[in-house]
Amino acid sequence: PWGHARSRLIRQRDGSHVALRPSRAICTQCERTHVLLPLASLPRRTDAVETVGDALFKAAAGHGHRTIARELALPPSTVRNWLRRARGRAEWLRQRAVQAGHEIDVCLPFSPPRASLLAEALDALGLTAWAVIRRFGWAGTSPWRVIAALSGGHLLSRGPDG
């Protein structure tokens, strides 16, 4: 009875929905069950990681949450919440990306300073996602799914440490 979590719909960028029924697994350390989400979704989010990524990318380019929400056909409060969470985690995300990037490719260049910490974090995450895709031959893989994996699913988590 504990093999799966509840079914949910994940909203895609084009507005369509994909049904998802994630599996559960028992953790050997804490002896509790945990939901195993695919990289296409983030914990406690009904939108695909690519949609969230588009919003973060547009925010790093200087767009406001209302403009982004209008372009993505989402409620402004949803986009505002994503941006607040991501900005609050930007330094953690940047550090995580730089560390993982240099473990994967020691010749990976550092991203140049940007106008905001969120932009720097997204640059570092993008460089690292590119290195992962190139190193492991994952051509055609969405960089945002790689970024979701690099963040351990904590791209928009509440706490500073995931």
Side-chain angles (χ1 to χ4, degrees):
W2 301 283
H4 293 89
R6 67 173 178 80
S7 295
R8 57 195 78 186
L9 294 175
I10 303 297
R11 185 173 39 210
Q12 304 299 303
R13 274 194 277 190
D14 63 3
S16 66
H17 290 81
V18 173
L20 173 67
R21 187 172 181 218
S23 299
R24 285 188 176 268
I26 296 176
C27 176
T28 57
Q29 293 178 354
C30 68
E31 298 179 355
R32 294 183 181 180
T33 63
H34 296 279
V35 175
L36 306 175
L37 291 175
L39 295 178
S41 64
L42 294 169
R44 296 179 180 84
R45 305 288 172 221
T46 60
D47 291 282
V49 69
E50 288 86 4
T51 306
V52 174
D54 282 352
L56 297 181
F57 188 73
K58 289 173 190 274
H63 298 282
H65 75 275
R66 288 184 188 92
T67 304
I68 297 168
R70 196 171 29 257
E71 290 175 10
L72 297 176
L74 295 169
S77 60
T78 298
V79 175
R80 185 178 57 239
N81 184 28
W82 292 348
L83 300 182
R84 283 182 182 164
R85 291 278 172 88
R87 287 179 179 132
R89 300 191 54 70
E91 179 59 25
W92 181 86
L93 290 167
R94 188 190 66 75
Q95 289 175 1
R96 181 95 177 218
V98 169
Q99 179 183 3
H102 288 285
E103 288 175 2
I104 291 166
D105 182 357
V106 294
C107 296
L108 192 67
F110 285 99
S111 56
R114 296 284 303 270
S116 71
L117 196 52
L118 178 62
E120 287 183 19
L122 292 177
D123 276 353
L125 287 165
L127 277 172
T128 303
W130 172 78
V132 167
I133 291 169
R134 187 183 56 150
R135 169 98 185 253
F136 298 111
W138 292 350
T141 303
S142 165
W144 286 109
R145 292 182 185 204
V146 175
I147 289 169
L150 289 170
S151 70
H154 299 294
L155 188 63
L156 299 177
S157 294
R158 292 176 193 239
D161 59 355

